[in-house]
Amino acid sequence: MKRIISIALTLVLIFSLTAIASAETLQIGIPDDGTNLSRGIKLLETAGLITVDPEAGYTPEIADITGYIYDIEVTPVQANTLPSTLGDFGASAINSTFSVPYGLFPSQGLISEKQSEGSDNPYINVIVARTEEADKEVYKKIVEAYQTQLVAEFLIVTRKEAQIPAFEYDEEITLTEEEATAIIEYVSPKEGKEVVKVGVVGSSNDQWQAVQKVLDEENAGIYIELIELDAYNIPNEALNSGEIDLNAFQHKAFLNNEIAVNGYDITPIGDTLIAPLTLYSEKFDTLDALKEAAGLIAG
């Protein structure tokens, strides 16, 4: 009998060691570029998967990860490839700019960045002016027009969670897709209005049609002329030098870095929207399930 018990215990030990040996560290993908890498690290910290050096603030790098609470490995990957390679990872932190075209929406993710208006989220996009003109009345009217219910509903209806209003609005949405299309096609007369040149980047800027519509309905006498720029390193220089009046293409973290590096005398004057970073997974339905699969690291 003792021999049988001994054999049984040996088999249990072998199976246990085999299971430990076959367990693999769970790979978590994050964007490999600048501030988005930092966003990915902060999101994993918020999820309770890692600890991060608080001295790194909102811009930590891989070296600032001070501990792994669960058995995971953080793997930086080119941002636009993260949706197509999602199945290769336990989970991946993906910006909605890239996730939504793949049918991945923040509401389907395990955890997203905090979205509430008025938060200290440094990844909220902003309208920016030269510091000396930050209090200009015409610019205040533009910010107020942007932060209206019509613009909020337009973003929600047309962006499908890719971009979310970063200002207070009524969550009851009445704008139809047909009405949103009509706003996109809206043409405002330029004559007799004060022209304000707003620098933008990329193709998703038609919410400014809604802003223009609000201004016209208020008889504000302002015409927004969008200046489409083809690279992210151009709009702040163009604003600082006076080539444009405002710009709206960047989040606060990017702006702060640009000011620190280049010495631009520009400042944010109003929040606009956020393209949230979300942790997605094809293998786990909840964050708790991911944590259970990864397993706590013995400390």
Side-chain angles (χ1 to χ4, degrees), residues 171-243:
E171 294 184 2
E172 182 178 348
I173 307 303
T174 61
L175 188 73
T176 66
E177 291 193 6
E178 291 76 15
E179 289 170 333
T181 299
I183 290 173
I184 293 172
E185 297 172 349
Y186 177 73
V187 178
S188 175
K190 183 177 180 179
E191 295 75 18
K193 297 176 182 174
E194 181 174 354
V195 177
V196 177
K197 295 181 179 181
V198 179
V200 295
V201 178
S203 58
S204 299
N205 293 296
D206 48 16
Q207 73 272 20
W208 284 97
Q209 291 293 93
V211 178
Q212 183 67 67
K213 193 171 190 301
V214 171
L215 290 170
D216 288 350
E217 290 174 351
E218 295 175 347
N219 295 314
I222 300 168
Y223 181 85
I224 297 171
E225 181 179 345
L226 292 187
I227 307 299
E228 297 181 0
L229 304 166
D230 58 8
Y232 287 95
N233 63 330
I234 298 176
N236 285 327
E237 170 60 32
L239 176 60
N240 191 69
S241 65
E243 296 175 41

Side-chain angles (χ1 to χ4, degrees), residues 256-276:
N256 291 339
N257 183 68
E258 285 273 283
I259 293 172
V261 171
N262 299 296
Y264 296 141
D265 192 12
I266 57 179
T267 190
I269 60 172
D271 295 347
T272 57
L273 55 83
I274 185 169

